[in-house]
Each structure stands twice: as structure tokens, then as C-alpha cells.
Amino acid sequence: MTTFTRGFRGRRRGEDDRLPPGQYLTEDFPVLSAGPTPHVPLDRWEFTIDTEAGQTHRWTWPELTALPYEEPAVDIHCVTSWSKLGTTWRGVSLDVLFEDVESTADYALVHSYGGYTTNLPLDDLLDGKAWIAYRYEGEDLTPSHGGPARLLVPHLYFWKSAKWVRGIRLLTEDWPGFWETAGYHNYGDPWREQRYADD
């Protein structure tokens, strides 16, 4: 005879297969920030990649938006347990931005306007896994959602997709960012429920 734990309903097909453990589906786009929302004029906006050797690669807003772009449709997952499926963005793949960057670094520390930082292995930013996104659902990305541009790394919890991105510093050793030093998981894989440092 088969027995079931009280409340067990099995796994539904379809959208639930795209929800990592412990996540619930939302149709809206919650706004969560670690501090005040910076408003960066486009004529003063820039994005930089600084290598471990001290070389700086720099793009202004017109230079970034003139680069070839992609329009990824991705699921996003917040550490606070909401997930939003099938979001559409426009942005420049980090593969394009790294084409002329020479580095032997294994890690990246992402910096934002407003002082926020987050760390990632460099491999998680390359090979079609990450973008500098500046449009969302066909509209310019609003400041509340990280505009004018944010990092988009959809395979990790959304705190790794830094809002108001202004640069990436390449490192030979891992250096935790804002939430990582506050007890969040260093990597943040939603499918492994890596929310906090002990997970």
C-alpha cells in the first residue's frame, strides 16, 4: 500500500517545473533595494571593466547601446522566494564586452552606482550567461528596477544581477560583496537553495 505525507500533492507539470525549490510564482515585479535608488544621467553614465593588471576598458552610454544586443527571455528568481517566468530583456552580452579584455582572473566584483557590490566567478558572466541589460519588456529599464542598466545573471538568485551597474573589477581571489558579507550565500544557485552562507 502506498502512503503519502500529509499535504503532498506531487509535482505539477508546466510552469512548476521552472520554479526552483522554495519559490512561488509572481506576475508582478517586486522592487527590493539595499539603499536609495540612484538616478544617473545618461551623459554621465559609464561602464568599466578593470583587470587585475590595472587596465581599464570603458564604455559610455552611446557606446554601450551601439553594440550588438540580444533579447534574452529568461526566468528570474529572488532570494526572498518569488520567481517571475519568461521575462524579456534587451542588453549587451558580457561576451561582447570581454572580447578585447585580457585577463587570467577567476573572479569578478561587480560595482553599482550607489555603492552596492556583488561577487561572482568570472565563468558565470561568460558563454551567454550574463548581459548588461537596459530594456525590460520592451521599455527602457526604470531606475526602480536598476536602470539605466543592470547586470542580468538569471541562473543565480537575483541579488547577483546588480542594479545600476557601473563596472566589473576582475580579481585573482574571491572578494565577497554587500549581501555576501551580510550572510548571504557566496554563490546563490536557486536550484540548490543557496540563500544563506550555511546553505
Side-chain angles (χ1 to χ4, degrees), residues 33 35-38 111-113 143-150 162-166:
S33 299
T37 298
H111 294 265
S112 296
Y113 290 95
S144 62
H145 288 301
R150 74 177 299 155
K163 294 180 178 183
W164 318 299
V165 68
R166 70 174 175 86

Side-chain angles (χ1 to χ4, degrees), residues 14-105:
E15 289 183 343
D16 281 358
D17 293 337
R18 293 163 59 186
L19 282 179
Q23 297 292 111
Y24 69 88
L25 186 63
T26 186
E27 297 298 324
D28 58 0
F29 194 170
V31 175
L32 302 169
S33 299
T37 298
H39 294 268
V40 184
L42 296 183
D43 61 352
R44 291 177 35 212
W45 185 94
E46 68 174 13
F47 177 77
T48 60
I49 297 175
D50 294 305
T51 72
E52 72 280 14
Q55 296 173 324
T56 298
H57 302 260
R58 187 180 318 273
W59 294 265
T60 63
W61 185 256
E63 289 169 339
L64 179 85
T65 56
L67 292 172
Y69 63 82
E70 297 177 2
E71 295 187 331
V74 297
D75 302 338
I76 55 176
H77 311 290
C78 182
V79 71
T80 61
S81 299
W82 61 261
S83 289
K84 187 169 177 63
L85 305 183
T87 62
T88 58
W89 305 79
R90 177 181 290 181
V92 178
S93 170
L94 283 177
D95 294 320
V96 171
L97 297 171
F98 272 87
E99 279 179 359
D100 296 323
V101 176
E102 293 184 18
S103 176
T104 59

